[in-house]
Amino acid sequence: MIAKMVDQKPKVAVIGAGPGGIAMGIQLAAGGYDFTIFDRNDGFGGTWRNNTYPGAACDVPSHFYSYSFALNPRWSKTFANQPEILAYLEKVATANYLANHLITGSRVTTLRWSNVDRQWTVETEEGAKHQFDAVVTAVGMLDQPNIPDIPGANHFRGRTFHSSAWDHSKTTAGERVASIGTGASAIQYVPEIAPHTAHLTVFQRTPIWVNPRYDEPFTPEQQELFERDPVEALKVRDAAFEAYESANFGVDSEMTNELTAMARAYLTRKVTDPDLRAKLTPTYPVGCKRPLQSRAWFPTFALPNVHLETSPIVAFTERGLRTADGTEHDVDTVIYGTGFHAADYLRSLEVYGTDGRRLHDDWRDGAEAYLGTVVPGYPNLFTLYGPNTNGVTSIIYILEAQAEFVRRTLDDMVRHRIPAIDIKQDVHDAYNADIQRAMQGTVWLANCNNYYRHPNGKVVTQFPYSGTQFVTMLGQVGLDVFNRTEATACRESTTLR
Ligand code: NAP
């Protein structure tokens, strides 16, 4: 075999064509890399392509939920809806000529590192194998739906679907509908479908705090001003940015206490029936679960055809769901608003690193990475939106910084003729020990169930400092934190050290 020379630019695979994959593609294109983006879907957009449920919108202000290099002066309102966000992402991908690099309908199942070739083999569901020098996972954190294992599901004669795979083939209007879950997705689609259903039962396991959403349209005059004078658009973006930067996620912080008091007052104002209000009142502080905003959630329960059910679901019947109190709820459709396997990072992938080590074994006590981006034992692998990168700012801001970091690191490898890098174990361990120390006292560890934690209680999704701190730390990382292969001419004779 003729060894590949190290002074060639690495060939890169990007798994996922969502906001992270697009940011990565733009960086790789700008750097002149040979790269391929794989996606199981039929185009760009990722989560914003999948989640098409009625009312789907982003609860991060759109001027901040956009790339800094591709501001959009034409956002229609504070919190844009899914079609507008998808159109924006597609437009950015098109403007950067990424379509030529995209393989659609291709589900990557396995990544295998070879110490000999110092390459990754990317395997797809259809059995194809591709060789790459580096791999960037950009699969998001909320891509694997959680569908609870409810006894009797096979016997149900109606239809079921998850919020992230909405069945648009048939409307829920006029139907008897059951919706399970009361998270960020349900509070958006339940108020949209409720008025049109014959009957809607919302199955709540845990009540949620909700504050009103201040969602205002931008007038044509404002949009023209943003277009003419980007500084005006930046002011809107900066206001959102600053609000996140100043957040304090301490369990007893002023922010937590203030938001909890506001949510309690809002609930008291909006729900006057004491029994219903008691059912809707949480026992944990705002922030323990993702903070939610809606003006439509509470009024929905005043509709005559809507019922809030708090008795736990015990089984499916042929005609619907049975709850622990013995009631049978006959319905035509059951919607799972039951969230995602967020804490189970890269759940859809099998990843084998040096000497065949398996990532899901290494992560059995909870996923960890250095700055959420690189994992010891997995050379030349980068994880966008990886462990402990969530929660404190717009994820687009984080993804952009990660994509820049990957490009800069690849550029450094080319410059120094280093074919493989692997984050040093002690650097990784010290970083993660600090992250978990900083996690103590945060609202994410308060007395609620949330998707931020591994079953052993460790918070694996959240970043405990500010977004700027994350970006600054990542910006300071150089090749010195990595074990590197020797800078010899050919791949064959080098080892990681
Ligand atoms: P989620 O917040 O995790 O909520 C899932 C809901 O399903 C919870 O109410 C949960 O109850 C319930 N549930 C789960 N398993 C259940 C079971 N076996 N029986 C009964 N109930 C069950 O999921 P999500 O609403 O899909 O939102 C997930 C995340 O997606 C959000 O936090 C956010 O990050 C993202 N998202 C973002 C936006 C946005 O505007 N940017 C919009 C939608 C979603 P428990 O509370 O008791 O666990």
Side-chain angles (χ1 to χ4, degrees):
M1 186 184 84
I2 301 167
K4 187 177 162 187
M5 304 305 283
V6 292
D7 52 4
Q8 278 181 272
K9 282 200 167 187
K11 189 175 159 200
V12 186
V14 180
I15 320 297
I22 294 171
M24 195 66 250
I26 290 170
Q27 284 292 338
L28 293 170
Y33 287 88
D34 176 0
F35 68 98
T36 303
I37 304 174
F38 294 86
D39 199 288
R40 63 185 189 207
N41 291 321
D42 59 353
F44 289 99
T47 194
W48 295 106
R49 197 168 195 90
N50 294 333
N51 284 271
T52 59
Y53 59 76
C58 186
D59 56 14
V60 175
S62 300
H63 278 270
F64 189 31
Y65 196 84
S66 351
Y67 301 109
S68 63
F69 53 82
L71 299 180
N72 175 15
R74 294 277 165 189
W75 287 119
S76 65
K77 58 194 188 91
T78 317
F79 301 101
N81 283 6
Q82 172 267 336
E84 196 176 352
I85 299 171
L86 177 60
Y88 165 77
L89 292 170
E90 288 180 324
K91 190 174 163 193
V92 173
T94 303
N96 288 280
Y97 306 102
L98 295 187
N100 292 342
H101 299 270
L102 177 65
I103 301 183
T104 55
S106 184
R107 188 186 291 268
V108 174
T109 55
T110 310
L111 307 174
R112 277 178 217 280
W113 173 255
S114 160
N115 283 342
V116 178
D117 302 330
R118 286 201 304 281
Q119 280 198 317
W120 284 98
T121 302
V122 173
E123 299 177 20
T124 63
E125 198 171 44
E126 52 287 2
K129 292 184 181 181
H130 311 264
Q131 304 297 122
F132 290 92
D133 302 301
V135 174
V136 183
T137 62
V139 296
M141 192 184 77
L142 301 161
D143 65 319
Q144 296 298 307
N146 167 44
I147 301 197
D149 191 11
I150 301 171
N154 292 342
H155 303 302
F156 178 52
R157 291 212 201 117
R159 68 171 166 161
T160 62
F161 56 86
H162 188 268
S163 60
S164 66
W166 197 270
D167 179 8
H168 292 283
S169 69
K170 191 168 150 229
T171 176
T172 52
E175 283 195 322
R176 298 163 305 163
V177 177
S179 176
I180 308 175
T182 53
S185 302
I187 74 156
Q188 293 185 338
Y189 70 74
V190 161
E192 290 287 321
I193 64 167
H196 314 292
T197 58
H199 191 267
L200 172 65
T201 306
V202 177
F203 291 85
Q204 171 188 278
R205 192 165 65 176
T206 313
I208 46 165
W209 287 119
V210 180
N211 269 307
R213 189 167 77 160
Y214 297 96
D215 191 14
E216 299 297 331
F218 291 110
T219 63
E221 292 75 26
Q222 282 176 304
Q223 293 175 337
E224 273 155 36
L225 176 64
F226 296 152
E227 188 126 49
R228 223 176 31 247
D229 186 358
V231 173
E232 291 299 322
L234 278 173
K235 284 184 192 164
V236 179
R237 180 183 172 90
D238 288 349
F241 173 80
E242 289 304 333
Y244 282 98
E245 284 296 301
S246 60
N248 181 332
F249 297 94
V251 72
D252 204 20
S253 73
E254 202 180 319
M255 182 188 89
T256 301
N257 291 335
E258 211 170 280
L259 288 177
T260 307
M262 276 167 57
R264 192 182 298 281
Y266 184 59
L267 172 62
T268 307
R269 242 181 10 257
K270 289 290 161 189
V271 182
T272 47
D273 175 334
D275 291 339
L276 181 60
R277 192 196 294 162
K279 284 183 179 177
L280 288 168
T281 305
T283 54
Y284 54 86
V286 166
C288 186
K289 287 175 176 289
R290 184 186 169 94
L292 301 177
Q293 302 160 24
S294 170
R295 287 174 183 278
W297 179 246
F298 294 135
T300 300
F301 296 102
L303 297 176
N305 62 328
V306 176
H307 170 66
L308 178 70
E309 182 57 66
T310 54
S311 179
I313 297 166
V314 289
F316 269 99
T317 65
E318 280 190 7
R319 295 188 308 276
L321 292 163
R322 186 182 309 116
T323 42
D325 61 3
T327 308
E328 301 221 341
H329 305 261
D330 291 355
V331 293
D332 305 301
T333 292
V334 173
I335 305 171
Y336 294 108
T338 43
F340 301 86
H341 294 284
D344 194 357
Y345 278 89
L346 304 188
R347 182 183 168 95
S348 63
L349 291 172
E350 280 295 349
V351 184
Y352 299 96
T354 48
D355 305 322
R357 65 195 289 172
R358 181 174 173 264
L359 188 57
H360 289 296
D361 290 337
D362 286 340
W363 280 354
R364 70 173 73 77
D365 295 326
E368 284 186 336
Y370 178 60
L371 284 159
T373 315
V374 281
V375 185
Y378 300 85
N380 297 5
L381 177 74
F382 302 91
T383 54
L384 301 195
Y385 204 170
N388 295 108
T389 57
N390 184 58
V392 294
T393 187
S394 165
I395 194 61
I396 305 281
Y397 180 55
I398 299 288
L399 290 169
E400 230 182 281
Q402 288 186 296
E404 278 172 22
F405 164 75
V406 174
R407 151 93 186 278
R408 180 165 55 79
T409 304
L410 293 174
D411 286 353
D412 286 349
M413 289 167 66
V414 172
R415 191 171 314 116
H416 297 289
R417 296 163 57 84
I418 296 170
I421 53 163
D422 189 1
I423 186 68
K424 290 177 180 166
Q425 187 76 49
D426 58 334
V427 172
H428 165 275
D429 292 352
Y431 171 80
N432 279 289
D434 174 69
I435 288 291
Q436 291 306 322
R437 256 194 310 274
M439 209 63 84
Q440 300 310 310
T442 63
V443 72
W444 307 312
L445 283 166
N447 59 331
C448 83
N449 242 335
N450 57 37
Y451 63 76
Y452 305 149
R453 293 192 293 241
H454 182 271
N456 66 13
K458 177 176 163 182
V459 179
V460 295
T461 61
Q462 306 303 91
F463 183 66
Y465 304 116
S466 72
T468 297
Q469 278 168 287
F470 180 84
V471 172
T472 305
M473 282 195 250
L474 201 57
Q476 289 166 348
V477 175
L479 286 186
D480 52 312
V481 298
F482 293 97
N483 292 314
R484 305 173 291 263
T485 52
E486 291 168 24
T488 56
C490 294
R491 288 173 171 273
E492 282 168 338
S493 58
T494 58
T495 50
L496 285 169
R497 64 187 166 83

